[in-house]
Amino acid sequence: MLGVLEPYRGGDDIPLRKPEMVVGRSEKNDVVLRFADVSGKHCRLVLSRGYWYAEDLGSTNGTRVNGFRTQDHRVDPDSRVSFGKHEFILRYDPVKNGAQGEIPPDYLDNDVFQKSLLERAGVAKQVKSMPKTWEIQRQRGATLEELESGEGVDYSNLTIDDIEFD
């Protein structure tokens, strides 16, 4: 076993048996939490360099590490991790999980400039759709695949009115 999620307010422990596990409400997840405030695919727990990381998967109610909402953050041994309002203590031993040398970075991806501070904090607005822009691009002959991938699509004339936010 690579660690355990221990419910903060009591309940059955959840063993972490794989180095990558998805937490959410859907039965397809590795860890199933049947609560309305937990998203279908809420969070990905990843073991890297002996330490667990919590990566939010665009959940509605967020993932928190020690009370702070995050998109991606290292969860140190015996730290609190929350999925929506459901809080757990993540218990594990980094050395038993292969940790060597210095404690790894706070974030799973090493390029801290890849995401904005708002994205890292989990408070950036998520783009829901761009119907006006897509309509214009479709009139210019763009295929649906090009629109979804962003390839060959010119967003240079995009205005805030063209975007819907969650």
Side-chain angles (χ1 to χ4, degrees):
M1 185 166 35
L2 301 169
V4 64
L5 285 173
E6 180 183 296
Y8 188 71
R9 290 176 175 41
D12 295 334
D13 291 350
I14 301 169
L16 302 177
R17 300 186 191 279
K18 301 187 311 187
E20 185 173 316
M21 300 183 76
V22 177
V23 177
R25 195 175 62 239
S26 171
E27 295 293 328
K28 296 177 184 177
N29 294 313
D30 301 300
V31 176
V32 179
L33 299 176
R34 294 178 186 92
F35 302 105
D37 63 332
V38 174
S39 294
K41 272 190 161 183
H42 196 99
C43 176
R44 184 171 72 114
L45 295 174
V46 179
L47 186 65
S48 177
R49 296 183 238 171
Y51 286 81
W52 283 100
Y53 288 81
E55 179 183 26
D56 190 84
L57 298 175
S59 68
T60 302
N61 293 308
T63 300
R64 288 177 167 69
V65 174
N66 291 325
F68 295 98
R69 190 168 180 156
T70 185
Q71 289 297 111
D72 166 18
H73 204 280
R74 187 183 69 240
V75 184
D76 291 325
D78 303 322
S79 291
R80 293 176 296 141
V81 61
S82 304
F83 314 105
K85 295 179 182 176
H86 305 280
E87 194 169 27
F88 296 84
I89 304 291
L90 181 51
R91 302 215 188 266
Y92 68 99
D93 182 347
V95 175
K96 285 184 180 177
N97 288 344
Q100 297 178 3
E102 293 182 22
I103 294 174
D106 288 344
Y107 305 105
L108 193 54
D109 67 50
N110 292 325
D111 185 1
V112 295
F113 299 108
Q114 205 169 35
K115 294 180 183 176
S116 73
L117 289 174
L118 291 175
E119 287 173 311
R120 287 211 172 274
V123 295
K125 289 184 177 181
Q126 300 289 322
V127 175
K128 190 174 181 182
S129 64
M130 292 187 245
K132 291 180 185 176
T133 304
W134 281 30
E135 190 175 309
I136 293 166
Q137 294 299 333
R138 289 287 287 164
Q139 290 172 359
R140 294 182 183 160
T143 66
L144 184 58
E145 290 80 19
E146 289 172 327
L147 292 170
E148 288 176 341
S149 70
E151 293 178 24
V153 181
D154 178 19
Y155 292 116
S156 61
N157 295 325
L158 187 66
T159 68
I160 196 72
D161 295 328
D162 295 324
I163 303 173
E164 279 184 39
F165 292 98
D166 285 342

